[in-house]
């Protein structure tokens, strides 16, 4: 009955590798997001998708490529991983209307360590 | 200067104390204000959601928003050791059709410890 689920929870990989993180939500929300939390706990948005359409793309290196096959799934693929990519990546979803974003729910995170 | 400023603490209080957590912001377009609680190695969990200025109460938690001062607060009454966590304020200007569409801007988070 998990609302926003991400896999894997932990990812340890070498520099230069390519990896993917998957996210699924069963809340029926129309918008999904990727956020990055650095070592100082600062959470910053990376991307958002509304009904499979890319809406927000913050200043993220183009090694990061999100893909949304449908409105319940949002995956994140990272090419040529660097040490600075080590962080916790959170998927989130919400319903966004003219009255604002509602039901903003986060997954439990994927802890990525690049060695 | 960050759009949202939050004192990272750490803040340590005895059980039963009233805790006050605060954030200031600079973007006057923010209209939606949230507080999240994050336990260690978990995702943020929504505690309070407020639209525009005013107060909102939910059990031991009270959220206040003062848009004229660009200042928001979260009060925790009768704090418990189980309240020990990182508290994150978050704000959004993002409505459907807007360029920031649902985007949340977070403060750095305040680490709170409630000791028995």
């Amino acid at each position: 009955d998990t609302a926003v689920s991400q896999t894997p929870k932990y990812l340890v990989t070498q520099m230069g590798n390519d990896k993917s993180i998957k996210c699924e939500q069963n809340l029926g929300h129309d918008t999904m997001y990727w956020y990055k939390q650095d070592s100082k706990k600062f959470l910053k948005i990376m991307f958002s998708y509304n009904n499979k359409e890319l809406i927000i793309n913050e200043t993220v290196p183009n090694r990061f490529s999100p893909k949304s096959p449908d409105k319940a799934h949002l995956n994140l693929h990272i090419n040529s991983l660097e040490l600075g990519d080590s962080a916790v990546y959170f998927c989130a979803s919400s319903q966004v209307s003219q009255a604002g974003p509602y039901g903003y729910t986060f997954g439990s995170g994927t802890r990525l360590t690049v060695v | 200067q960050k759009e949202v400023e939050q004192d990272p603490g750490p803040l340590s209080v005895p059980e039963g104390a009233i805790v006050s957590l605060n954030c200031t912001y600079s973007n006057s377009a923010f209209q939606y204000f949230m507080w999240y609680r994050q336990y260690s190695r978990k995702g943020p969990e929504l505690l309070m959601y407020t639209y525009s200025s005013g107060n909102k109460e939910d059990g031991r938690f009270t959220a206040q928003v003062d848009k004229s001062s660009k200042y928001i607060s979260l009060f925790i009454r009768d704090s418990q050791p189980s309240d020990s966590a990182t508290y994150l304020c978050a704000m959004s200007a993002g409505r459907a059709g807007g360029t920031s569409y649902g985007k949340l801007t977070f403060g750095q988070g305040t680490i709170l410890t409630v000791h028995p």
Side-chain angles (χ1 to χ4, degrees):
Chain A
D1 62 342
T2 305
V4 180
S5 59
Q6 310 177 214
T7 55
K9 287 192 182 311
Y10 299 96
L11 196 47
V12 180
T13 188
Q14 291 188 326
M15 274 195 308
N17 283 352
D18 303 340
K19 290 293 178 186
S20 292
I21 307 171
K22 295 187 176 183
C23 179
E24 176 181 4
Q25 57 99 0
N26 63 7
L27 296 165
H29 288 162
D30 63 0
T31 306
M32 295 185 72
Y33 313 82
W34 281 110
Y35 282 82
K36 179 181 179 180
Q37 188 170 46
D38 63 22
S39 57
K40 293 186 178 177
K41 295 280 197 177
F42 189 61
L43 261 169
K44 193 171 188 313
I45 194 167
M46 300 172 70
F47 304 102
S48 79
Y49 269 77
N50 174 258
N51 287 321
K52 303 193 298 176
E53 181 185 350
L54 179 65
I55 302 294
I56 293 174
N57 182 348
E58 294 286 288
T59 49
V60 177
N62 56 17
R63 297 182 295 104
F64 290 79
S65 52
K67 280 191 173 54
S68 181
D70 56 62
K71 73 173 194 174
H73 295 84
L74 179 62
N75 304 322
L76 183 65
H77 188 75
I78 316 170
N79 289 327
S80 304
L81 277 154
E82 300 177 358
L83 291 175
D85 297 331
S86 296
V88 183
Y89 293 84
F90 286 100
C91 178
S93 73
S94 77
Q95 190 68 20
V96 182
S97 70
Q98 287 296 326
Y102 281 100
Y104 227 111
T105 306
F106 283 80
S108 56
T110 296
R111 187 171 295 269
L112 171 65
T113 304
V114 183
V115 298
Chain B
Q1 184 186 3
K2 291 181 182 159
E3 274 190 292
V4 180
E5 298 278 359
Q6 183 179 6
D7 185 344
L11 186 60
S12 181
V13 301
E15 184 175 354
I18 296 175
V19 175
S20 172
L21 304 166
N22 312 294
C23 289
T24 59
Y25 63 96
S26 56
N27 187 345
S28 56
F30 289 145
Q31 297 188 68
Y32 310 97
F33 304 91
M34 296 160 223
W35 285 95
Y36 282 85
R37 177 175 61 196
Q38 186 177 21
Y39 292 114
S40 181
R41 295 189 175 256
K42 299 288 186 185
E45 170 196 8
L46 182 64
L47 279 177
M48 302 289 281
Y49 180 107
T50 311
Y51 169 66
S52 196
S53 286
N55 294 357
K56 186 173 183 178
E57 190 172 319
D58 184 0
R60 296 184 295 111
F61 298 91
T62 300
Q64 289 184 350
V65 174
D66 182 349
K67 288 187 71 179
S68 62
S69 303
K70 296 191 177 66
Y71 186 87
I72 73 168
S73 303
L74 178 71
F75 298 94
I76 307 174
R77 290 184 297 281
D78 187 25
S79 55
Q80 303 295 310
S82 58
D83 295 328
S84 299
T86 298
Y87 288 80
L88 301 148
C89 64
M91 310 181 186
S92 179
R95 295 181 297 180
T99 55
S100 53
Y101 207 104
K103 169 186 171 182
L104 292 186
T105 302
F106 282 86
Q108 191 177 338
T110 301
I111 300 170
L112 172 68
T113 302
V114 181
H115 51 88

